[in-house]
Amino acid sequence: MEKIKKPDHQHQGDEPFQFLMKYQWYPSSLLSYFLLFALGITVGVIASFHISSYLSSFDQIPSTFPSLAPETNRSVLRIDHDAGRLNSSRAASTGGCNCATGVASNQELDMNYYSLSSVPLKNNDTRNSTAGGHDSDYNRSFDSYEFMGGGASGIEKEELIGIEDWVEPRSAMHNMTDDELLWRASLVPKVGGYPYKRVPKVAFLFLTRGPLPLAPLWERFFKGHEGKFSIYVHTHPSYNETVAEESVFHGRRIPSKECGWGSISLLEAERRLLANALLDFSNERFVLLSEACIPLFPFATIYDYLINSRHSFVNVVDEPGPCGRGRYSNLMRTAIKPQEWRKGSQWFEMDRKLALEVVSDQKFFPVFKKYCRHSCYPDEHYIPTLVNVKFGRWSANRSVTWVDWSKGGAHPARFYRWDVTMDVLRKMRDGSRCMYNGNETSVCNLFARKMLPNSLVRLLNFGPKVLGF
């Protein structure tokens, strides 16, 4: 007899209980599962900690840096040593910076990938830093590495700063203010000697209104003596004519300001020229010239004369009349006594030691700027008075620039084309007697003024016969 099959739905209500009954749950099994789970979490935490420590062990790299990635689409992360901050080449203007630690925020860095490439250490620097150091040690570590990252600005690479960037600026132009320039120029190394092959140079400081009409004569004078001279030109800021690339004057204009005859602005221009020239640590002598000046001897003669001189050449005269002490103001008495007041030629020549004192002076210059006005001419009194009070033994007490005051007046005689003869040039060169390093000599004037532009042709013609170049 066929058995009747019971419907499956009669057992559906028992299925949950049957499922649970298939497994036996014991307290010991639950404990095992819990310990296994805890062990997994512990291993994960320890592994994460070691990976994080390994990635951050590269000389105290800030924790805000994203993880390292392949070197793709790299762009430069610039290191600002002076300010102690990081700047990427495409950093957002709103990016923040933790000034206390010098660590840049992710918004400021604004990069996709970072890579770390080792480069040679400079100046025996070390990569060691104290634990947790994000201050001086943090900044010092960047001297040993170059950071690069990827970004939308394209591929670029920035070279590390070398010794040549500190000792000889590549351009005469910069964006420093006068206060910043004077501060930078006044820096003096305390370590003796030079860590590079230094050839002392003569800095020629041209204070002009605009062009240099006698430039062809100067070009001939400088030719063949590269590496022994530097040129700096201060013009009216509105002057914008270009100079041929092959000229020694190309690219030698400095950031300038308007200045007027007999005013403090003229003295500020002189200090500006000195400060720019002091940025080049190889400049040893500094001579102030105008567009109307000419050299009276070949370059080698003038170079040896100045480099080997034991003195600077600043004219210092105690003139009791109205054009001397008569220009003194009693308002200066707190800094300068009447008997210390001196007068001299504006056209100085000085060594590096004295030039540093002129640009770093904060006692006499503010007094001149405030009280030397009207009939007082700062360019004729400031440097002579400063030298007389503090550095008298450093100066030969004469100028090396010849001028003709025989006709009287407020300005020296000017030389037109027909005034320039071979006899006149010989008189400028050899018509004086003076002391040089303790010995008497007839080589006293190395330069002459005031030559007008139309005298150039004769100067070029007579130069090889009289001037020696």
Side-chain angles (χ1 to χ4, degrees):
M1 185 176 192
E2 186 177 354
K3 294 182 179 180
I4 300 173
K5 187 176 181 179
K6 296 182 179 180
D8 293 338
H9 67 272
Q10 293 182 2
H11 301 281
Q12 289 179 355
D14 299 332
E15 288 179 357
F17 298 97
Q18 293 176 358
F19 173 79
L20 291 175
M21 294 301 295
K22 290 180 181 180
Y23 300 93
Q24 296 180 353
W25 295 85
Y26 298 100
S28 59
S29 299
L30 292 174
L31 180 61
S32 299
Y33 297 148
F34 176 81
L35 292 177
L36 183 62
F37 177 75
L39 179 62
I41 293 178
T42 303
V43 172
V45 170
I46 294 175
S48 299
F49 175 81
H50 282 286
I51 293 174
S52 177
S53 300
Y54 175 77
L55 294 179
S56 62
S57 64
F58 293 93
D59 252 15
Q60 301 294 331
I61 298 177
S63 59
T64 55
F65 275 43
S67 59
L68 300 179
E71 299 181 9
T72 58
N73 297 327
R74 305 197 302 180
S75 65
V76 174
L77 174 64
R78 296 189 176 92
I79 309 302
D80 189 338
H81 296 272
D82 295 333
R85 59 180 181 269
L86 305 177
N87 295 302
S88 84
S89 59
R90 56 189 296 265
S93 59
T94 58
C97 179
N98 186 341
C99 297
T101 62
V103 180
S105 67
N106 290 332
Q107 290 84 1
E108 181 178 357
L109 297 176
D110 191 23
M111 293 184 178
N112 299 326
Y113 300 105
Y114 291 86
S115 65
L116 183 65
S117 58
S118 177
V119 295
L121 294 171
K122 303 191 298 295
N123 300 330
N124 298 322
D125 199 359
T126 63
R127 299 179 184 175
N128 299 325
S129 59
T130 58
H134 284 285
D135 196 351
S136 59
D137 292 335
Y138 169 79
N139 291 329
R140 186 172 63 247
S141 68
F142 288 126
D143 290 334
S144 308
Y145 295 97
E146 177 184 0
F147 288 85
M148 292 184 175
S153 60
I155 299 176
E156 62 175 309
K157 181 178 178 67
E158 184 168 312
E159 297 179 356
L160 295 176
I161 294 177
I163 186 66
E164 66 280 356
D165 296 298
W166 288 99
V167 300
E168 185 177 3
R170 300 176 184 178
S171 173
M173 295 300 293
H174 53 77
N175 61 356
M176 288 184 283
T177 65
D178 279 356
D179 288 340
E180 293 169 341
L181 172 64
L182 293 173
W183 177 84
R184 174 65 179 84
S186 67
L187 300 182
V188 180
K190 298 192 71 173
V191 176
Y194 298 92
Y196 65 100
K197 185 178 179 180
R198 181 181 185 263
V199 176
K201 297 189 292 187
V202 177
F204 293 82
L205 317 178
F206 288 89
L207 182 58
T208 77
R209 297 178 181 86
L212 292 165
L214 303 180
L217 183 69
W218 284 101
E219 296 274 4
R220 183 187 290 181
F221 168 78
F222 287 120
K223 187 176 181 180
H225 301 283
E226 292 75 12
K228 291 187 175 181
F229 66 88
S230 299
I231 296 174
Y232 302 87
V233 182
H234 186 294
T235 70
H236 192 283
S238 64
Y239 177 71
N240 58 6
E241 292 186 19
T242 58
V243 179
E245 291 188 9
E246 60 271 17
S247 171
V248 294
F249 295 99
H250 178 75
R252 301 316 302 167
R253 287 180 58 186
I254 67 170
S256 307
K257 293 184 179 180
E258 184 176 359
C259 55
W261 180 81
S263 70
I264 193 68
S265 62
L266 195 60
L267 184 56
E268 289 174 331
E270 294 177 15
R271 281 163 48 101
R272 197 174 295 122
L273 278 165
L274 279 173
N276 276 275
L278 283 168
L279 298 181
D280 187 337
F281 280 81
S282 294
N283 286 332
E284 186 63 30
R285 308 292 300 204
F286 306 80
V287 55
L288 182 65
L289 303 160
S290 74
E291 67 268 38
C293 289
I294 63 167
L296 295 176
F297 291 89
F299 180 89
T301 301
I302 292 179
Y303 178 85
D304 291 341
Y305 191 97
L306 297 179
I307 293 296
N308 295 322
S309 175
R310 298 198 296 263
H311 300 91
S312 295
F313 297 95
V314 177
N315 191 215
V316 180
V317 179
D318 183 10
E319 187 173 324
C323 294
R325 290 200 184 186
R327 297 175 178 175
Y328 174 82
S329 171
N330 285 324
L331 297 174
M332 301 179 177
R333 189 178 292 273
T334 56
I336 305 167
K337 298 179 177 62
Q339 60 270 27
E340 296 172 335
W341 184 258
R342 292 295 184 271
K343 179 185 178 181
S345 171
Q346 172 190 5
W347 309 101
F348 61 75
E349 193 286 330
M350 60 181 64
D351 61 12
R352 189 174 186 89
K353 180 171 60 175
L354 182 55
L356 284 166
E357 297 292 343
V358 172
V359 302
S360 61
D361 169 45
Q362 293 182 310
K363 178 181 179 181
F364 293 91
F365 182 77
V367 173
F368 271 83
K369 187 173 184 178
K370 188 174 183 180
Y371 299 118
C372 189
R373 300 175 181 276
H374 307 301
S375 61
C376 178
Y377 303 107
D379 56 292
E380 293 184 3
H381 295 281
Y382 169 69
I383 294 180
T385 300
L386 176 67
V387 169
N388 175 61
V389 176
K390 300 183 67 175
F391 315 108
R393 59 187 178 87
W394 295 0
S395 176
N397 193 21
R398 65 180 176 89
S399 175
V400 289
T401 301
W402 186 92
V403 290
D404 182 9
W405 289 100
S406 62
K407 297 181 180 180
H411 302 280
R414 297 186 294 178
F415 288 82
Y416 295 86
R417 178 181 181 277
W418 52 84
D419 295 320
V420 178
T421 65
M422 296 177 68
D423 290 338
V424 167
L425 293 176
R426 290 191 183 101
K427 180 182 177 181
M428 294 176 181
R429 284 167 48 103
D430 308 317
S432 304
R433 304 295 295 181
C434 61
M435 299 298 293
Y436 174 79
N437 288 347
N439 300 313
E440 187 174 333
T441 179
S442 61
V443 181
C444 303
N445 301 305
L446 306 181
F447 309 94
R449 58 186 301 265
K450 289 182 158 188
M451 302 293 170
L452 295 183
N454 62 9
S455 66
L456 176 62
V457 174
R458 285 203 172 192
L459 290 170
L460 292 173
N461 290 336
F462 297 153
K465 302 175 184 178
V466 181
L467 306 180
F469 61 92

